[in-house]
């Protein structure tokens, strides 16, 4: 049976991702907080979005900005209290906004009481909550770690003369899902939050929770690439099914797993409705398009091509054409700003490329996710100096290159395009001090272009601003279910300048034309009758440039036609 036209709130919803540290400070410490989000709820509601995804707000020593949790049932002091959280939920409900929290359970913080106990002795009750390798067995087989200077995921721990496993920093030890007690702990904390009334979880690196606890050498077939190996653990789907059966199936909630290392053949194993696991996941194919093969953060030399971009989206649409459901994103807190990466952040093209990307994401099949600030076209900050960066990822890679006597200059040049902090700079609210984000020095520098029109206050009254275009385009998607559920048909597959496709559902059909280039581009579309084409939205004066089925598109022009 064809599932994917079955209507669901999480298919029709538009998601707005908030990095709480960077959204709005109300306490004057330079760090965003929950009261800040509450203060901005009317604004968020005015965007027309439906769901807020909050990056982690739990108690954390912040080695990785909250992705290292020391108490899953409490709120990080810098962000506020559980009362603030309750108030946020009440205020969101009043406005019809749903809340999706981050579930970070591949690892905890080393300051979580489970790990504090676990490392005390080999016979501690919590010993088996984590992955340990006794030193008398020699050095453990190589495992890759993202944030370790030596890329070594095993850290020697003196008190018990053993190594523990950490795919991320040494302060993020991996939880041992093979232990049923760990799984029960996770299910309990999920229930705790669902019973409080949240509407779903974005599941951090959920693809890597299952490990072969014999810790063998990396099997040949992974050709030295650890990430697909991590995503192919022996009991992964057993655990996801169990989680669904014991927790998820009891609530009306949405789930979206972050799934590095998962390929198209494996995709439906996660989201085929009949398997009862997750609703959606984030693949990494677009995020690795302009990167070296097998490298998440290292830029490749050649510029990405539009045909490659189309291929990623078209193939993934095909994966979910009958079953499952896609999630669409062009950036998040781990990857650079969309307009700087897939559009063009020069003065001339910033506005139209930002609105083109919005048109794209909001006219594709799948649930669209926007990162705070994307609605006003926020851009990469492109720091010059290592001291401007706060991110553990940039710092650990910098140290590794330094240690190896590598080329730091090139690294810093590339990091202007790849660094995660590009996407984490404070929200640009107005032209006042610190752009209205905070009275105090912000935890991460604000992009100075808040003084040049990239801020909410100045865009608010402007009819054609990036912000108001976003609102209109969200409404266009809401008004036409074909843009949510309709079949997708790629046109002009080999064109390197224009992305064109049809979306059709029941008696409605739409043509989307996107000129992803700085050149005027003309295209001829044979698939539709243009005498009856009716313009729905455009970020430029499209009608003037159309003669029959021949279009002349201005740089970064985006237009949608209702067609027959
Ligand atoms: C993915 C998260 O999005 C990222 O920010 C984090 O550093 C890692 N997972 C580790 O939790």
């Amino acid at each position: 049976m064809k599932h994917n036209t079955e209507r669901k709130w999480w298919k029709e919803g538009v998601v707005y991702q908030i990095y709480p540290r960077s959204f709005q400070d109300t306490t004057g410490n330079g760090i965003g907080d929950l009261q800040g989000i509450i203060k901005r709820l009317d604004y968020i509601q005015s965007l027309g979005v439906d769901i807020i995804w909050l990056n982690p707000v739990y108690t954390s020593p912040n080695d990785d900005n909250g992705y290292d949790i020391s108490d899953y049932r409490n709120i990080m002091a810098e962000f506020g209290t559980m009362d603030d959280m309750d108030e946020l939920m009440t205020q969101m409900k009043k406005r019809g906004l749903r809340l999706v929290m981050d579930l970070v359970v591949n690892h905890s913080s080393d300051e979580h009481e489970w790990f504090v106990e676990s490392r005390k002795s080999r016979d501690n009750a919590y010993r088996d909550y984590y992955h340990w390798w006794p030193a008398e067995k020699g050095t453990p087989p190589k495992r890759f770690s993202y944030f370790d200077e030596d890329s070594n995921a095993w850290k020697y721990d003196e008190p018990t003369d053993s190594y523990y496993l950490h795919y991320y920093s040494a302060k993020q030890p991996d939880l041992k899902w093979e232990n049923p007690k760990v799984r029960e702990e996770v299910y309990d904390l999920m229930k705790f939050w669902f019973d409080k009334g949240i509407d779903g979880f974005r599941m951090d690196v959920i693809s890597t929770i299952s490990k072969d606890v014999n810790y063998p050498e990396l099997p040949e077939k992974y050709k030295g690439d650890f990430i697909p190996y991590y995503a192919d653990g022996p009991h992964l789907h057993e655990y996801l099914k169990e989680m669904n059966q014991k927790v998820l199936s009891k609530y009306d909630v949405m789930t979206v797993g972050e799934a590095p290392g998962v390929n198209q053949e494996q995709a439906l194993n996660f989201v085929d409705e009949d398997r009862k696991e997750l609703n959606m996941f984030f693949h990494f194919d677009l995020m690795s398009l302009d990167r070296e093969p097998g490298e998440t953060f290292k830029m490749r030399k050649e510029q990405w091509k539009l045909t490659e971009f189309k291929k990623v989206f078209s193939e993934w649409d095909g994966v979910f054409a009958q079953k499952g459901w896609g999630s669409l994103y062009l950036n998040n807190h781990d990857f650079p700003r969309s307009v700087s990466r897939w559009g063009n952040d020069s003065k001339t093209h910033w506005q139209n490329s930002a609105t083109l990307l919005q048109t794209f994401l909001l006219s594709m099949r799948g649930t669209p996710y926007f990162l705070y600030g994307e609605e006003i076209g926020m851009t990469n900050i492109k720091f010059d100096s290592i001291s401007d960066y706060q991110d553990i990822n940039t710092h650990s890679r910098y140290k590794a290159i330094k240690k190896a006597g590598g080329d730091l200059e090139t690294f810093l040049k590339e990091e202007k395009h790849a660094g995660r902090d590009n996407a984490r700079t404070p929200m640009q609210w107005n032209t006042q001090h610190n752009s209205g984000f905070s009275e105090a020095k912000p935890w991460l520098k604000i992009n100075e272009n808040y003084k040049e029109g990239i801020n909410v206050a100045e865009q608010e009254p402007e009819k054609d601003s990036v912000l108001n275009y976003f609102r209109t385009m969200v409404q266009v998607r809401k008004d036409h279910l074909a843009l949510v559920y309709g079949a997708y048909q790629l046109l002009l597959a080999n064109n390197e300048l224009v992305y064109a496709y049809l979306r059709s559902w029941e008696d409605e059909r739409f043509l989307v034309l996107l000129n992803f280039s700085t050149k005027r581009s003309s295209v001829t579309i044979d698939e539709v009758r243009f005498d009856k084409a009716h313009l729905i939205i455009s970020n430029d004066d499209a009608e003037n440039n159309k003669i029959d089925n021949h279009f002349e598109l201005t740089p970064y022009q985006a237009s949608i036609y209702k067609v027959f």
Side-chain angles (χ1 to χ4, degrees):
M1 153 172 165
K2 189 168 164 169
H3 285 283
N4 68 349
T5 47
E6 192 189 327
R7 293 188 65 174
K8 296 273 186 213
W9 61 265
W10 46 265
K11 292 181 180 173
E12 291 172 30
V14 175
V15 183
Y16 187 74
Q17 179 193 351
I18 295 182
Y19 201 65
R21 182 163 287 271
S22 302
F23 200 57
Q24 175 71 67
D25 174 22
T26 59
T27 58
N29 63 355
I31 296 173
D33 46 54
L34 296 181
Q35 283 299 332
I37 300 174
I38 295 171
K39 182 174 155 193
R40 298 296 185 177
L41 283 180
D42 286 340
Y43 167 75
I44 297 169
Q45 187 184 24
S46 81
L47 299 174
V49 300
D50 309 273
I51 303 162
I52 294 178
W53 155 26
L54 267 194
N55 286 103
V57 294
Y58 317 94
T59 310
S60 161
N62 280 313
D63 196 47
D64 184 19
N65 288 354
Y67 280 95
D68 47 322
I69 296 168
S70 52
D71 183 350
Y72 289 95
R73 290 179 170 78
N74 254 312
I75 300 298
M76 193 189 298
E78 288 166 333
F79 290 171
T81 62
M82 194 55 96
D83 285 346
D84 295 323
M85 192 67 211
D86 291 338
E87 189 185 338
L88 173 65
M89 283 164 54
T90 310
Q91 292 299 331
M92 283 181 64
K93 284 220 162 70
K94 262 193 199 160
R95 292 168 177 81
L97 292 165
R98 304 217 189 217
L99 177 61
V100 168
M101 301 266 284
D102 224 302
L103 181 73
V104 189
V105 287
N106 172 71
H107 45 269
S108 72
S109 161
D110 67 337
E111 297 182 32
H112 193 292
E113 61 166 344
W114 300 334
F115 192 74
V116 173
E117 285 300 317
S118 188
R119 80 194 319 179
K120 278 187 183 159
S121 67
R122 290 191 180 187
D123 57 6
N124 187 282
Y126 290 92
R127 184 65 171 180
D128 212 28
Y129 271 43
Y130 295 88
H131 298 270
W132 290 101
W133 176 276
E136 61 271 19
K137 282 173 67 180
T139 316
K142 164 91 185 143
R143 288 292 179 271
F144 163 82
S145 158
Y146 280 97
F147 303 152
D148 185 81
E149 269 175 67
D150 302 317
S151 302
N152 181 4
W154 289 106
K155 163 114 170 137
Y156 179 72
D157 206 42
E158 242 251 78
T160 59
D161 189 30
S162 307
Y163 298 83
Y164 65 86
L165 187 67
H166 62 91
Y167 284 178
Y168 294 86
S169 90
K171 286 186 67 60
Q172 294 168 295
D174 281 43
L175 282 159
K176 191 171 176 187
W177 277 68
E178 290 65 32
N179 178 354
K181 281 195 203 146
V182 168
R183 304 205 296 277
E184 285 308 322
E185 297 270 16
V186 171
Y187 304 152
D188 279 355
L189 76 90
M190 291 174 72
K191 284 186 224 152
F192 170 84
W193 285 101
F194 285 142
D195 291 338
K196 265 185 162 300
I198 70 162
D199 301 287
F201 278 119
R202 174 267 185 188
M203 301 183 179
D204 192 63
V205 288
I206 201 70
S207 50
T208 69
I209 54 175
S210 163
K211 279 120 189 157
D212 180 341
V213 292
N214 296 313
Y215 313 111
E217 294 294 343
L218 179 70
E220 275 297 310
K221 69 170 183 176
Y222 296 99
K223 299 191 187 100
D225 189 352
F226 276 94
I227 312 307
Y229 172 65
Y230 286 176
D232 205 9
H235 302 290
L236 172 60
H237 292 287
E238 213 176 284
Y239 300 157
L240 292 178
K241 281 203 171 70
E242 182 183 78
M243 178 199 276
N244 188 302
Q245 186 221 329
K246 292 196 169 174
V247 188
L248 301 172
S249 58
K250 308 213 182 321
Y251 303 87
D252 174 23
V253 291
M254 71 168 246
T255 51
V256 52
E258 190 201 23
V262 173
N263 62 32
Q264 291 172 2
E265 287 76 54
Q266 298 161 322
L268 286 176
N269 294 342
F270 291 79
V271 297
D272 177 344
E273 295 81 350
D274 296 331
R275 289 173 59 96
K276 301 199 174 2
E277 295 188 21
L278 304 179
N279 299 137
M280 294 173 268
F281 73 80
F282 296 122
H283 68 74
F284 275 62
D285 284 3
L286 182 72
M287 293 299 117
S288 42
L289 195 62
D290 56 358
R291 305 291 155 100
E292 292 288 349
E295 295 273 352
T296 318
F297 298 105
K298 197 167 171 15
M299 303 296 290
R300 74 176 197 193
K301 301 267 170 313
E302 330 79 76
Q303 171 68 17
W304 61 274
K305 293 199 196 89
L306 184 62
T307 45
E308 296 173 313
F309 184 97
K310 293 179 188 179
K311 188 166 179 275
V312 169
F313 279 95
S314 304
E315 284 184 2
W316 277 97
D317 181 83
V319 170
F320 304 125
Q322 304 295 326
K323 289 178 149 198
W325 189 251
S327 46
L328 309 160
Y329 71 108
L330 296 171
N331 56 189
N332 62 31
H333 64 293
D334 291 333
F335 291 98
R337 286 277 171 188
S338 59
V339 66
S340 298
R341 190 177 185 186
W342 311 117
N344 184 318
D345 61 13
S346 70
K347 285 231 161 28
T348 326
H349 299 297
W350 163 76
Q351 168 126 5
N352 274 13
S353 69
T355 48
L356 170 138
L357 294 172
Q358 295 172 349
T359 315
F360 171 61
L361 218 63
L362 288 163
S363 63
M364 287 291 285
R365 177 159 56 180
T367 297
Y369 292 73
F370 290 91
L371 176 65
Y372 76 98
E374 204 171 351
E375 76 279 18
I376 54 167
M378 276 174 61
T379 65
N380 284 351
I381 190 157
K382 302 175 189 158
F383 286 134
D384 289 317
S385 154
I386 184 67
S387 60
D388 285 327
Y389 286 96
Q390 298 293 330
D391 182 16
I392 182 173
N393 186 34
T394 302
H395 281 282
S396 60
R397 285 163 53 238
Y398 183 88
K399 284 184 205 148
I401 295 169
K402 196 167 173 184
K403 209 171 185 176
D407 183 355
L408 287 169
E409 205 179 307
T410 303
F411 170 73
L412 285 176
K413 223 162 100 195
E414 286 185 6
E415 206 62 356
K416 289 186 181 197
H417 305 284
R420 305 198 298 180
D421 278 343
N422 280 308
R424 300 177 176 183
T425 61
M427 178 67 182
Q428 295 168 206
W429 293 107
N430 53 43
T431 51
Q432 291 159 23
H433 181 56
N434 290 335
S435 196
F437 164 68
S438 173
E439 292 297 324
K441 183 169 174 244
W443 73 277
L444 182 67
K445 278 189 182 163
I446 298 189
N447 197 319
E448 286 295 310
N449 62 18
Y450 78 84
K451 295 170 186 154
E452 293 152 30
I454 309 189
N455 68 74
V456 173
E458 283 186 304
Q459 292 190 24
E460 198 66 68
E462 247 181 71
K463 195 172 129 288
D464 295 328
S465 63
V466 175
L467 172 61
N468 284 321
Y469 186 89
F470 178 79
R471 289 181 170 127
T472 311
M473 187 58 217
V474 168
Q475 196 52 48
V476 167
R477 184 176 178 91
K478 296 263 152 83
D479 291 344
H480 304 286
L481 279 181
L483 295 179
V484 177
Y485 296 107
Y488 160 92
Q489 185 192 342
L490 177 66
L491 309 173
L492 311 173
N494 300 323
N495 191 310
E496 286 293 1
L497 306 177
V498 176
Y499 194 166
Y501 49 92
L502 290 168
R503 299 292 315 279
S504 334
W505 194 54
E506 297 186 339
D507 55 355
E508 280 198 315
R509 201 148 88 112
F510 293 91
L511 169 71
V512 182
L513 291 176
L514 308 164
N515 180 8
F516 269 78
S517 87
T518 55
K519 303 190 183 82
R520 291 183 76 86
S521 310
S522 34
V523 290
T524 304
I525 307 283
D526 296 321
E527 283 79 358
V528 293
R529 278 188 53 199
F530 276 98
D531 51 332
K532 289 197 176 165
H534 163 64
L535 184 70
I536 299 287
I537 186 169
S538 179
N539 66 356
D540 210 324
D541 194 0
E543 283 295 35
N544 292 342
N545 306 319
K546 170 176 115 45
I547 305 165
D548 298 331
N549 60 348
H550 179 79
F551 286 82
E552 185 73 33
L553 299 166
T554 56
Y556 292 103
Q557 182 175 336
S559 303
I560 303 183
Y561 288 87
K562 190 167 172 16
V563 291
F564 299 89

